[in-house]
Amino acid sequence: MTVASDKRRINLDALVIRFAGDSGDGMQVAGDRFTAGSAIFGNDIATFPNYPAEIRAPAGTLAGVSAFQVQIADHDIYTPGDSPMVLVAMNPAALKANIADLAVGGVLICNSDAFDKRNLEKAGYQSNPTEDGSLDNYKLYSVPITSLTLEACKDIGAKPRDAERSKNFFALGLITWLYDRPYQSTLDFIKLRYAKNPQVVEANTLAFNAGRHFGETTEAFESSFEILPSQLTPGEYTNLTGNMALSWGLIAASTKASLPLFLGSYPITPASDILHELSKHRNFNLVTFQAEDEIAAVGSALGASFGGAIGVTTTSGPGVDLKSETIGLAVSLELPLILVDVQRGGPSTGLPTKAEQSDLLHVLFGRHGEAPVAVVAAATPAHCFEAAIEAVRIALMYRTPVYLLSDGYLANGSEPFCIPDPEELPDISIEFATSPNKILSDGSEVFWPYLRDQDTLARPLARPGTRGLEHRIGGIEKADGTGNISYDPANHELMVRLRAAKIERIADSIPPLQVDDPDGASILVLGWGSTHGAILAAVNEVRKLGKKIARAHLVHLNPFPKNLSEILNRYETVLIPEMNTGQLAMVIRSTFLKDVVQLNKIQGIPFKVSEIKAALISLLDGGQL
Amino acid sequence: MTVASDKRRINLDALVIRFAGDSGDGMQVAGDRFTAGSAIFGNDIATFPNYPAEIRAPAGTLAGVSAFQVQIADHDIYTPGDSPMVLVAMNPAALKANIADLAVGGVLICNSDAFDKRNLEKAGYQSNPTEDGSLDNYKLYSVPITSLTLEACKDIGAKPRDAERSKNFFALGLITWLYDRPYQSTLDFIKLRYAKNPQVVEANTLAFNAGRHFGETTEAFESSFEILPSQLTPGEYTNLTGNMALSWGLIAASTKASLPLFLGSYPITPASDILHELSKHRNFNLVTFQAEDEIAAVGSALGASFGGAIGVTTTSGPGVDLKSETIGLAVSLELPLILVDVQRGGPSTGLPTKAEQSDLLHVLFGRHGEAPVAVVAAATPAHCFEAAIEAVRIALMYRTPVYLLSDGYLANGSEPFCIPDPEELPDISIEFATSPNKILSDGSEVFWPYLRDQDTLARPLARPGTRGLEHRIGGIEKADGTGNISYDPANHELMVRLRAAKIERIADSIPPLQVDDPDGASILVLGWGSTHGAILAAVNEVRKLGKKIARAHLVHLNPFPKNLSEILNRYETVLIPEMNTGQLAMVIRSTFLKDVVQLNKIQGIPFKVSEIKAALISLLDGGQL
Amino acid sequence: MAMIEKLTRKDFMSDQEVRWCPGCGDYSILAAMQLLLADLGVERHNTVFISGIGCAARFPYYMNTYGMHSIHGRAPAIATGLAIARPDLDVWVIGGDGDMLSIGANHLLHALRRNINLVIVMFNNQIYGLTKGQYSPTSELGKITKSSPFGSADQPFNPISLALGAEATFVARTHDMDRSHMQYVLNRAHQHKGASFVEIYQNCNVFNDGAFESLTGKENRQDKLLMLRDKEPIRFGQDARYGIGLDQDGCLRIIDTDLEGTEKILTHNEYQADPSLAFALSRLGASETEPRPMGIFRDIEREDYGAAMTAQHEAAQKKNGHGDLNKLFRSQATWQV
Amino acid sequence: MAMIEKLTRKDFMSDQEVRWCPGCGDYSILAAMQLLLADLGVERHNTVFISGIGCAARFPYYMNTYGMHSIHGRAPAIATGLAIARPDLDVWVIGGDGDMLSIGANHLLHALRRNINLVIVMFNNQIYGLTKGQYSPTSELGKITKSSPFGSADQPFNPISLALGAEATFVARTHDMDRSHMQYVLNRAHQHKGASFVEIYQNCNVFNDGAFESLTGKENRQDKLLMLRDKEPIRFGQDARYGIGLDQDGCLRIIDTDLEGTEKILTHNEYQADPSLAFALSRLGASETEPRPMGIFRDIEREDYGAAMTAQHEAAQKKNGHGDLNKLFRSQATWQV
Ligand SMILES: Cc1ncc(C[n+]2csc(CCOP(=O)(O)OP(=O)(O)O)c2C)c(N)n1
Ligand SMILES: Cc1ncc(C[n+]2csc(CCOP(=O)(O)OP(=O)(O)O)c2C)c(N)n1
Ligand code: SF4
Ligand code: SF4
Ligand SMILES: [Mg+2]
Ligand SMILES: [Mg+2]
């Protein structure tokens, strides 16, 4: 046996690792811990949890495989990586479902105990791939993880079934050693998380340490690796998923607006975690309400907005459809309302745990009549924080529903979030009406709920409880100014155009679109939403090849930044990668009459960097897509 | 006194007349009878009833005014006319609400009995307009209609309050004489309609005849007019509103498909009359179900479709929003389903009794995920019949939801409907699966619900009750072929593209778009839906000025006819008039990257011929809109 | 602020012209409400009326308070959000039988079980008025309407039974022909903490005229209406000749005191925790021979949702301190770069 | 076609792998159903299962019949259309407590009052399983879940009370630990013409394990479950020591036969027209000391919707003749050109 110091330690600039196992194998926890340890160590990180179908499938089957991929690096990274360089497969099904993604030459760690006849059959293997040579393209390590875990725990008197549960920590320990990750934070975590069950703390600790020691002491691994801390902007960081960042953004917005937050929501994957997260923070000026359905969810949020709170509702997929009617009412009432859509694969129930960008046209146009709303889309998990504040700012300032788009990839993926100083977050408070705003010809002073601000076209908001400003609003067409019911044809046209103009006016308050174009390119990649990371990484790679590419990313989808037209005209070719059949492309074509090249992927999974890179290179070479 | 024969009789080629009065004054009945009489006489006709706000407003107020406009002509006409040439105003409010529309020099008949102080005040008149000279621009006839009616009925012992109700028939009698309409059919109608109440029959008859005699015998009217029968295509005609034509079209489609019709609906203006009409015809193979809401309405229709019926649901405005989720399911299930949207003014409750074309983008894009459906739009009231059959044909043949668009103007407006020979209506029946369609490798025969027809891409339909073809379908993504749940990324992309391709394939079965361009114009007016009549009339008028204009009207909005691209490219300028802010224009721009000129009216009322004519002339003169 | 001068009905009348059909029962409900609120001296600015769509739902426009005329069926949901966000307000919900029992029944029932602090008033005219006369979920079997020319085949809901089945804490019925009873019931509903449900029989003289005439007509009331009064024997008819007793099969039956005396007559108890007897009372009137009970079927105490939320908020603050962004951002592991 | 050979459970098993969590109560319900249908010898091709979304709603995939896995909450509405259009089919509706009582309660209640010919089976696990553990409309007050870390403040629905309040004609309850009782109840529901509502207590061993253990656990059943049997005295406990009696305040109470004898014990009557006693029985079990009734609360006859539609169709044909387009087109005034 050799000691650790004898082994080689190799420096890596980045590492993509995927933990895969059965739903019950604790792979999400292992992945999470690995990420947290790396984050604290100072690496840049980006994660991609990939859950199985909604119901736990029978153990050992392909349908039950759960995976967690993370990229860690010593530099800025933008995605969880295209292909893992390391794959941990806890059983044959996990191997089968994931091996195709492993980079050739990659490290493959299999739990040999699980590769028995029954499991092999369940996964559809005729022979044992770890023995039949079919994995020769990879660096295969067969480790009896289950039995080593049991062995490690044998003295604490845990039942084998219980002790076996710690095998994810054995795997984590092994990887921790192999990639030289800090381990104390994981030991602390185990103590805290399982505090209620000391035997579990002990078992997990023993397994984790056994994994580390196994790496250090066996001869199987010739070398270990290290990834140095990255040069992120200095600051204090924490690792956030998109759903958490979005929740925190809403809390921050409520604080900075000095208004209560009201969340009306109905559970649905992958939006539910926003409800879960917000409901934990009832010590803030917020309340969460689990409604009977999505219609009641958005209805209650609208009622709360009428009462002067920031009404928010969160949903995904079919839930978005159900809110259309109430959003139309909110458009007519001109009340602030935040509509969070965490997009998932459709149509119908579709692919509930997967990501797609296929709701854009729906949120733009999916209401009867002419009912425009503002649309803001988050670009990365951490950006969900900022996007939430921006959505609330627009909603309050312009008294309008605002759609805030995220997707399943952002929602569950994570990255470091640089903790802001609350003082430096924008003040987004607004003024409510407290006194009459109109003097009638008879000299009486009255409150007109639709007497608009001439700059923003926003109407005054008088909260119930304000003495003397009693008034009624409703969904029937109303006269501008008084807000009284009006069936007058000319007034209707005026109101339709005013509501549209108000949304257009939002562009006055949003920053111009920034183009990242260091070299004066003729091709622009225009992205929106969660394609941000893959586009950025691909553009960087192409530039490393000495080629010119410009890049811009839209956060405001309605209205667009004012300079978008000018930017589009500056480029010969505009490429729009989207996880749909071309929804932004359609809007750009019709709005600017500018042809665009589409790159579409509709598979419920995000673009790989390489896919976008290939498209760019093809375009640069004058090819077609 | 002179006798009738002494009076001049002047020939008119067309007449536009509007009956206006209080909601309780029976103006709709008067208009309807005038229309029916003219229709039977052989004129071409087009009507436009204009109801007041939904709830009966207090008598005599502006909010309570109800009007009915009809154009009758000795030639083909396409609209109820821009401005009435004759206005009957039963009270000051009716005058006030309608006088602006009366053509200068037009005939104005006022019920002088109703122009008392109270009514004048209610209508907001300071002085009596029939006396103060403010109506000098019109041919004003003040007729004491109420007292003459009472006088006529005095001998039958009716209470004055009851007798007064017949005053609409007095007015109708007067107009009948003035424009030389046949009167026997009205006398017959009175007998039939009020058969249960002999006193009412008598009062109405007396009033009607008194009105006719008044015209004939007083000196007030120097001349009477006649409008000769028009040269409609020979055939048997009946006068139909759009809602009736649509209902009959559905019944005809069900008959020609040899399939039961199931209507699941929830009442809403202006769609309710389709439910009312269909529910009368239960002797056909049809059933109507008044659901608890629109979600249940479309749900029940989908359930019926699954059972092999033609599932139909009808709605308007907010009801459309509520159906989105279920339509997405129908897209995923690939089942036939007819979705009727009688568009009304939005957003939200909006202008419930008015017409708008503002749901086009919503029906195209208003579902989460990628969920394309076919869209067909009716062009005229009578065309609703044909459009309904076409929608059912597409739904059955392609196993897809089809949106059938009408609007409030088509729904309540009427025109002559040339009764077709049922034998000559298209056979739209389809084949259902009766036996397995796939042999597995083990030789067993199975039914695969998603094994597509290679031409249409339609899947086979096996109705429950078919022995041996038991299968399950659902809204989760499914594998093409087997239909089993599939989370496979590549399959998802395949299915999204197949569902879109199937909708595109519909274009194979629709006729090319016809362009009406006798002179080789450079300007094309492209319309859809209820703008048909106004566009056609305007184009004819412009051509009469010796100018060249081409015209085309889209019935299929998704997919478009295959030759649309080629047609658009043929013209320098394309004008799209729409009763919205430019929804078809947007789709045309993005689909064909062709700029178009928009003409938009968003007032809840249809275009006037003159408005479109003015736009055309301005464009012809090289002007801008 | 203490009330200085007495309010009058006019204070609660908005400047909008009332647009119901002449003779509609909605007028008398409006008058009863305006007079009641004036009498109670409630603060107009702290009062909100939320409605859905329908004739009844026009109500808020005519009340000089805060108000929202929303969308069909959703008023209870919208009001729920408002009541939770603003426990300081008096929130009323108004709607018709279609609005509340057809498209909106689910929201109604969930608001009732959650005991949201609302007064929910349903105008039951057993018809869709605004859309001009289709049958509603309370229309009788066999009813011929525009959408049921062969007669409706839908068994109607009994709104009181439905509300009781949904764990409502306050359930009552009154009718548009008796202003003082309406005001009594509405006042009690207003006093109740939590969700109150009030059904008001309302005549739609245009599309369903006389639907309740046989019960609420002045001549019929004595025999056909059973006025529930807390702690009093349940009696009706001239000289209170009849009473209600309970059979061993759990069914109520009519007792003729001339024959059986008064001994077996039940005493009404609005505050009874178990809703079973209230439910049994709600079934009365199904047949012609039985009287229809009016008044308060149930009025029990249960923590209202708003109060529970406030308690949770206070507990959370006690446990975790007032919300502080700096703390939130550091609520999980952080690191410095 | 007459049944030739006896069907077995296998005939009703589809080729899809069952994907519930190991140990989930759904498995035993599935087995009970498959065995029952095989025993009854129903025709697979005339049988349809319609479900919404949720763990329970996966059920149709596993039945080798026709089936549709639809969308959340809408199964009763979709099934309504199918049942009306196809009265020849046997239509079952399956869903969870969230599916049927939260988002879908309105459709459920309307299907019940209309007496649509459906068997509606609700798997009540008092939790949202598929979305991983939020409280449902049947979760107990104060329940701590992912979405209620401070405890749910929602008073739960009592599904039996709710269904009875909605005019349901067949209402029953059973549980996943007793296959023969499940089969008995499901069979009776299947026999009932019109809408049948069956609540099944179902254990979600992942997110709400043991929710019914104190009632349905083998050791607890005798004392905690009250098995309703038609025309029999309502008794429970060891040696049927206890019975249920009716107090004059309309509330049920437990009678200890050792002390009071059996005389005052109520006899159960499933067929009683008035639902009041069934409702009172549905309230039992609210407190720890009371047993929870299982079995058939109500089974009454009322014309089902499909039958009414068929009758209307026939009447219309009798009156107006078979539908004929030529006649339709001439049903109002026509003229020749
Ligand atoms: C989503 C939606 N569906 C349908 C309608 C049409 N609609 C308006 S009111 C109404 C029912 C009215 O009946 P009810 O609630 O009993 O009120 P009433 O008019 O009788 O007072 C309907 C169906 C609508 N406005 N919105
Ligand atoms: C419109 C819509 N909203 C929300 C969801 C998410 N969702 C799926 S199942 C479910 C609830 C599951 O609970 P339950 O019906 O009790 O079934 P169980 O899983 O417990 O069997 C929810 C909220 C959805 N699929 N569709
Ligand atoms: S339609 Fe009926 S309910 Fe509506 S306002 Fe008129 S009378 Fe009243
Ligand atoms: S989550 Fe619960 S209900 Fe769903 S399958 Fe698992 S154990 Fe069953
Ligand atoms: Mg009503
Ligand atoms: Mg459940």
Side-chain angles (χ1 to χ4, degrees), chain B residues 139-475:
Chain B
K139 285 204 206 104
L140 170 67
Y141 300 98
S142 279
V143 181
I145 295 178
T146 311
S147 40
L148 289 172
T149 302
L150 292 177
E151 178 66 22
C153 300
K154 71 170 187 295
D155 292 338
I156 60 166
K159 284 190 221 121
R161 237 184 90 202
D162 291 341
E164 203 201 305
R165 291 232 179 90
S166 298
K167 64 181 182 295
N168 56 335
F169 280 96
F170 183 98
L172 179 62
L174 176 55
I175 296 290
T176 298
W177 171 81
L178 194 55
Y179 296 99
D180 200 27
R181 306 283 84 202
Y183 56 85
Q184 190 55 46
S185 64
T186 296
L187 292 171
D188 295 346
F189 164 86
I190 291 173
K191 265 196 216 109
L192 207 76
R193 163 81 169 261
Y194 304 101
K196 281 193 195 142
N197 200 330
Q199 201 183 51
V200 173
V201 172
E202 216 175 339
N204 285 342
T205 306
L206 287 168
F208 180 67
N209 286 332
R212 288 170 53 223
H213 300 147
F214 179 81
E216 197 166 328
T217 50
T218 62
E219 295 199 344
F221 301 91
E222 312 96 57
S223 44
S224 78
F225 305 84
E226 76 177 339
I227 301 100
L228 295 175
S230 87
Q231 296 309 320
L232 292 174
T233 320
E236 189 176 357
Y237 283 81
T238 190
N239 184 36
L240 281 192
T241 64
N243 273 347
M244 280 192 75
L246 200 153
S247 308
W248 289 14
L250 291 174
I251 296 177
S254 144
T255 307
K256 299 298 293 190
S258 304
L259 289 177
L261 188 74
F262 177 98
L263 175 71
S265 186
Y266 187 68
I268 189 164
T269 306
S272 306
D273 280 337
I274 304 173
L275 166 63
H276 304 157
E277 176 65 19
L278 284 175
S279 64
K280 285 182 200 153
H281 301 291
R282 293 290 313 283
N283 57 330
F284 281 86
N285 194 3
L286 73 79
V287 56
T288 60
F289 170 64
Q290 179 176 312
E292 58 271 25
D293 62 14
E294 285 85 354
I295 298 177
V298 65
S300 63
L302 181 63
S305 279
F306 182 54
I310 301 170
V312 181
T313 188
T314 50
T315 196
S316 298
V320 185
D321 300 354
L322 291 169
K323 302 195 180 192
S324 296
E325 188 196 8
T326 308
I327 298 169
L329 173 64
V331 168
S332 178
L333 299 181
E334 304 193 35
L335 281 173
L337 187 64
I338 304 295
L339 311 154
V340 178
D341 175 8
V342 184
Q343 297 165 96
R344 66 186 219 183
S348 198
T349 308
L351 298 176
T353 59
K354 308 293 172 185
E356 215 164 73
Q357 299 184 300
S358 51
D359 294 354
L360 179 60
L361 292 176
H362 182 27
V363 305
L364 285 170
F365 306 118
R367 292 161 294 281
H368 78 277
E370 302 269 352
V373 302
V375 182
V376 168
T380 74
H383 181 250
C384 288
F385 179 83
E386 214 176 287
I389 298 178
E390 173 65 355
V392 175
R393 180 192 71 81
I394 293 174
L396 290 176
M397 181 161 167
Y398 292 90
R399 289 83 205 256
T400 177
V402 179
Y403 252 111
L404 171 55
L405 295 177
S406 172
D407 66 33
Y409 175 52
L410 297 177
N412 293 320
S414 66
E415 65 176 356
F417 169 73
C418 184
I419 295 177
D421 177 353
E423 295 298 318
E424 283 172 12
L425 294 173
D427 177 349
I428 56 171
S429 61
I430 57 166
E431 275 185 30
F432 289 90
T434 52
S435 57
N437 59 358
K438 179 82 188 175
I439 302 179
L440 296 183
S441 55
D442 68 358
S444 58
E445 299 194 341
V446 295
F447 176 67
W448 277 14
Y450 282 79
L451 199 60
R452 298 171 187 282
D453 178 291
Q454 284 311 306
D455 288 333
T456 59
L457 298 181
R459 72 178 189 87
L461 293 179
R463 283 176 289 205
T466 312
R467 194 182 293 273
L469 304 195
E470 295 82 3
H471 66 280
R472 278 70 47 195
I473 55 179

Side-chain angles (χ1 to χ4, degrees), chain C residues 64-236:
Chain C
N64 188 10
T65 61
Y66 283 91
M68 187 197 292
H69 179 227
S70 74
I71 46 178
H72 198 35
R74 315 305 173 187
I78 294 171
T80 290
L82 178 61
I84 297 175
R86 293 290 304 275
D88 57 316
L89 300 174
D90 244 5
V91 185
W92 298 75
V93 181
I94 308 284
D97 43 326
D99 203 34
M100 293 224 186
L101 291 185
S102 193
I103 190 167
N106 204 29
H107 307 305
L108 169 68
L109 300 177
H110 282 273
L112 294 178
R113 81 173 172 97
R114 290 191 186 112
N115 210 24
I116 308 286
N117 201 9
L118 299 170
V119 187
I120 305 177
V121 188
M122 187 185 88
F123 298 6
N124 184 5
N125 54 15
Q126 301 188 342
I127 199 82
Y128 286 0
L130 188 66
T131 48
K132 306 198 167 143
Q134 299 84 8
Y135 64 103
S136 90
T138 54
S139 297
E140 62 278 16
L141 262 178
K143 187 175 194 82
I144 301 219
T145 69
K146 279 192 189 149
S147 57
S148 58
F150 296 91
S152 155
D154 293 25
Q155 172 76 19
F157 276 137
N158 175 327
I160 304 293
S161 301
L162 193 64
L164 290 169
E167 316 298 326
T169 54
F170 183 100
V171 180
R173 179 156 62 205
T174 181
H175 66 92
D176 63 359
M177 301 288 286
D178 187 343
R179 176 176 299 167
S180 78
H181 191 256
M182 268 195 283
Q183 291 187 332
Y184 171 72
V185 165
L186 290 172
N187 188 15
R188 284 284 307 274
H190 181 240
Q191 280 165 23
H192 176 77
K193 195 93 183 108
S196 314
F197 176 73
V198 179
E199 177 189 17
I200 305 187
Y201 285 169
Q202 171 246 327
N203 191 40
C204 167
N205 57 309
V206 172
F207 295 109
N208 201 19
D209 197 22
F212 304 105
E213 180 63 26
S214 67
L215 301 171
T216 63
K218 278 237 162 67
E219 337 63 74
N220 309 321
R221 286 185 206 170
Q222 202 170 48
D223 292 331
K224 287 309 179 93
L225 295 186
L226 189 167
M227 307 309 287
L228 296 173
R229 288 187 196 88
D230 191 45
K231 304 289 164 340
E232 289 188 19
I234 305 176
R235 299 180 68 163
F236 70 103

Side-chain angles (χ1 to χ4, degrees), chain D residues 96-98 123-129 136 202:
Chain D
D97 43 324
F123 299 5
N124 185 3
N125 55 14
Q126 301 189 340
I127 199 84
Y128 286 0
S136 90
Q202 171 246 326

Side-chain angles (χ1 to χ4, degrees), chain A residues 563-585:
Chain A
N563 61 337
L564 179 57
S565 167
E566 181 264 309
I567 290 173
L568 290 171
N569 288 329
R570 224 189 287 160
Y571 294 92
E572 251 166 55
T573 305
V574 175
L575 175 73
I576 303 187
E578 289 182 89
M579 293 162 61
N580 59 39
T581 60
Q583 302 197 358
L584 175 64

Side-chain angles (χ1 to χ4, degrees), chain A residues 224-388:
Chain A
S224 76
F225 305 84
E226 78 177 339
I227 301 100
L228 295 175
S230 88
Q231 296 309 321
L232 293 174
T233 320
E236 190 176 358
Y237 284 81
T238 189
N239 185 35
L240 281 191
T241 64
N243 273 347
M244 280 193 73
L246 201 153
S247 309
W248 289 13
L250 291 173
I251 297 177
S254 144
T255 307
K256 299 298 293 190
S258 304
L259 289 177
L261 188 74
F262 177 98
L263 175 72
S265 187
Y266 187 68
I268 191 164
T269 306
S272 307
D273 280 338
I274 304 173
L275 166 63
H276 304 159
E277 176 65 20
L278 284 175
S279 63
K280 286 182 198 153
H281 301 291
R282 293 291 313 283
N283 57 330
F284 281 87
N285 193 2
L286 74 80
V287 56
T288 60
F289 170 64
Q290 180 177 311
E292 58 271 25
D293 63 13
E294 285 84 355
I295 297 178
V298 64
S300 63
L302 181 62
S305 279
F306 182 53
I310 301 170
V312 181
T313 187
T314 51
T315 196
S316 297
V320 185
D321 300 354
L322 291 169
K323 302 195 179 189
S324 296
E325 188 197 7
T326 308
I327 299 169
L329 173 63
V331 168
S332 178
L333 298 181
E334 303 191 35
L335 282 173
L337 186 64
I338 303 295
L339 311 154
V340 178
D341 175 7
V342 184
Q343 297 167 95
R344 65 186 218 184
S348 198
T349 308
L351 298 176
T353 58
K354 308 293 171 184
E356 215 164 73
Q357 298 184 301
S358 51
D359 294 354
L360 179 59
L361 292 175
H362 183 27
V363 305
L364 285 170
F365 305 119
R367 292 162 294 281
H368 78 278
E370 302 269 352
V373 302
V375 182
V376 168
T380 75
H383 180 249
C384 288
F385 178 84
E386 214 176 286

Side-chain angles (χ1 to χ4, degrees), chain A residues 54-56, chain D residues 19-27 54-56 125 127-130 132 202-208:
Chain A
E54 315 98 296
I55 306 183
R56 297 190 187 184
Chain D
R19 294 193 183 176
W20 288 306
C21 305
C24 176
D26 290 349
Y27 284 97
C55 295
N125 55 14
I127 199 84
Y128 286 0
L130 188 66
K132 306 197 168 144
Q202 171 246 326
N203 192 39
C204 168
N205 56 308
V206 171
F207 295 109
N208 200 19

